[in-house]
Amino acid sequence: MAWIRHEYNTKSIRGLLGLLAVFFLLMVVFMQFAAAAVVAFIMSIVSLQLLYFQYVGKGLNFQNTKSRKRVLNGGETSWELEFENKGLPIWGGKLKISFFDAVGPSGNYVSNFTEILEMDLPFTIGVNRNMIVRVPLIGKKRGLSRIQKMELIIPHPFAEGAATLEYQPMILQELLVYPKLRNYSMRNMPARQKPGHFHLKHSLFDDVFQPIGTRDYVPTDQFNQIHWKASARMQTYQTKIFAKVTNESMLFMLDVASGYATIHNLEERIEELAAYIENCYVENIPYAIAINMRSAGKIPYFYLAAEAGTTQRQRALELLSIISKNHSTIPLRAMMAHMDVHTELPFTTYLLSDETADASRFIAKWSSRTNLDILKSRNGGNIA
């Protein structure tokens, strides 16, 4: 069953029903029919209440559809909980949900002392009705939020106590909060010796699919570069001019390990890397990301292959959003040793690290293979 049922104070109500039955028999024996009618009326109400609580909630279904919403830090979002009731109506119920505090209610609210927030929502639904409960929220901090627990509390109509329905399956809705996008600049260092897609005036390579004009023919030009229509119009040979392109792919390596734990300024470094990603997205520069946190699969750390465009930006921000201080880390030298064998280094590599002594051997080796730039914390590694 999807719902686990817990009942409170029902035994006392059954005891009250038994006591009323005894009073009813005594009233009948002593021929107090008016009092017996009052007791019978109370007995009928209590009996209907017990019968109601025996079946209420059995026809309630939660539409547990899988979804992931993405929101910027400070942006508005919501949980959308859809219910279908094929059983008895529910009046005056209370829906209690618990979720991680990457998101929270908008406006001022009581600060939480743990990573879990709880909200109580009014819940009333009739027979054969569908209802969507929308919970407006706002992105509070970078991270992934899931509903950890959901309970529906149905109170007794005429007495104390309640029936609690606890939803057992994992709720598949997720809210992903991106890191803050700060305005950090970086150096672009295109490689004139490698072909690519980045436009550069002084490059050795042409993009034959991007003609930008013509010029007069010289004897060293190739025959297939002649623009025949322009030559016929100008009555002299004209050679095509193509856009100059070069390679400007980048690799960002984020060192988050501090011994066996994560660095204390993890949020600062993630926001810095997110800013560099945004710069690459605006300039349409392909980039790859490597983070020395353990991951299952062929690559034992978090790695995003080089690409450019909107899809790559979304994947990169999602990767930065799910990183947590609870993840286990691997040494920087272990990640660089694996990449040294299995990864082709791009022209430019940025290493975001404050402690590089552990990987000094690979840093010296990579300096001859790629333009390696070590980026220290902007506040010197101190807590902001």
Side-chain angles (χ1 to χ4, degrees):
M1 292 181 62
W3 298 93
I4 292 184
R5 188 183 188 89
H6 307 280
E7 294 186 357
Y8 303 97
N9 206 32
T10 54
K11 290 184 179 179
S12 60
I13 297 178
R14 290 189 177 94
L16 175 62
L17 182 62
L19 183 61
L20 290 174
V22 172
F23 277 120
F24 176 76
L25 293 176
L26 290 175
M27 295 301 104
V28 172
V29 169
F30 291 102
M31 303 183 67
Q32 300 292 327
F33 298 112
V38 173
V39 173
F41 176 73
I42 298 176
M43 286 177 59
S44 64
I45 293 177
V46 174
S47 300
L48 289 175
Q49 178 174 297
L50 289 175
L51 186 63
Y52 171 77
F53 265 86
Q54 185 178 356
Y55 294 100
V56 68
K58 289 188 175 181
L60 183 65
N61 297 319
F62 172 64
Q63 306 300 322
N64 193 11
T65 55
K66 186 176 182 179
S67 67
R68 171 179 281 187
K69 294 182 179 180
R70 303 163 180 85
V71 62
L72 293 174
N73 196 306
E76 296 181 353
T77 183
S78 65
W79 297 117
E80 294 189 359
L81 310 175
E82 184 176 357
F83 296 89
E84 180 184 11
N85 186 26
K86 296 183 178 179
L88 295 177
I90 299 174
W91 298 296
K94 182 171 63 176
L95 186 67
K96 182 186 292 289
I97 58 175
S98 303
F99 52 89
F100 295 99
D101 63 348
V103 295
S106 57
N108 297 324
Y109 65 97
V110 179
S111 59
N112 54 304
F113 298 99
T114 65
E115 295 183 349
I116 303 298
L117 281 175
E118 290 187 357
M119 291 187 66
D120 295 337
L121 308 167
F123 189 92
T124 299
I125 187 171
V127 182
N128 295 325
R129 297 292 301 272
N130 293 345
M131 182 179 67
I132 298 178
V133 178
R134 288 184 174 86
V135 186
L137 302 166
I138 188 170
K140 294 294 183 181
K141 64 179 184 179
R142 179 196 62 84
L144 181 65
S145 181
R146 297 188 180 97
I147 296 180
Q148 186 186 41
K149 188 176 182 181
M150 180 171 67
E151 293 179 343
L152 176 60
I153 302 174
I154 307 173
H156 286 280
F158 304 108
E160 294 184 357
T164 300
L165 304 180
E166 182 181 354
Y167 192 73
Q168 281 300 295
M170 183 180 70
I171 299 177
L172 303 179
Q173 293 190 37
E174 297 177 344
L175 296 179
L176 190 67
V177 182
Y178 287 157
K180 293 180 180 179
L181 300 179
R182 301 189 181 276
N183 188 18
Y184 293 155
S185 60
M186 64 180 182
R187 279 188 307 136
N188 294 342
M189 304 180 66
R192 295 177 173 85
Q193 295 79 17
K194 294 184 179 181
H197 302 282
F198 184 74
H199 292 269
L200 189 67
K201 184 176 181 180
H202 303 288
S203 177
L204 302 177
F205 301 96
D206 297 330
D207 187 353
V208 296
F209 297 102
Q210 295 190 54
I212 59 175
T214 60
R215 59 172 173 79
D216 291 338
Y217 174 81
V218 295
T220 56
D221 291 338
Q222 297 181 10
F223 187 74
N224 60 359
Q225 293 181 344
I226 297 177
H227 196 298
W228 295 106
K229 291 184 178 180
S231 299
R233 186 168 56 252
M234 301 292 294
Q235 296 299 309
T236 181
Y237 287 121
Q238 297 290 308
T239 302
K240 298 176 184 177
I241 300 176
F242 300 100
K244 297 289 184 178
V245 292
T246 186
N247 180 279
E248 203 189 14
S249 59
M250 298 180 180
L251 168 64
F252 294 100
M253 292 193 302
L254 177 59
D255 179 20
V256 298
S258 177
Y260 294 99
T262 56
I263 55 178
H264 64 270
N265 57 340
L266 178 63
E267 294 300 324
E268 173 200 343
R269 298 302 263 171
I270 288 177
E271 291 174 5
E272 184 179 352
L273 180 52
Y276 298 150
I277 290 172
E278 195 69 12
N279 290 338
C280 291
Y281 169 71
V282 173
E283 299 293 337
N284 197 29
I285 300 173
Y287 58 91
I289 299 175
I291 305 173
N292 56 337
M293 283 185 168
R294 294 191 181 276
S295 175
K298 294 182 179 179
I299 303 178
Y301 47 86
F302 288 174
Y303 181 76
L304 184 64
E307 201 172 330
T310 304
T311 303
Q312 178 75 350
R313 174 178 180 261
Q314 178 177 321
R315 291 172 181 170
L317 291 178
E318 286 186 3
L319 176 62
L320 296 183
S321 299
I322 63 175
I323 291 176
S324 170
K325 62 183 179 181
N326 298 322
H327 283 106
S328 58
T329 61
I330 63 175
L332 177 62
R333 68 176 184 278
M335 182 176 71
M336 296 185 71
H338 185 276
M339 297 183 68
D340 189 62
V341 177
H342 298 88
T343 305
E344 181 181 358
L345 297 179
F347 180 75
T348 305
T349 300
Y350 291 101
L351 173 58
L352 285 74
S353 177
D354 294 314
E355 298 292 337
T356 58
D358 184 48
S360 58
R361 181 170 69 90
F362 291 101
I363 292 176
K365 182 179 180 181
W366 283 22
S367 297
S368 60
R369 299 172 52 192
T370 179
N371 186 13
L372 182 61
D373 194 0
I374 300 175
L375 303 178
K376 301 289 185 178
S377 297
R378 292 178 175 264
N379 62 359
N382 299 320
I383 299 176

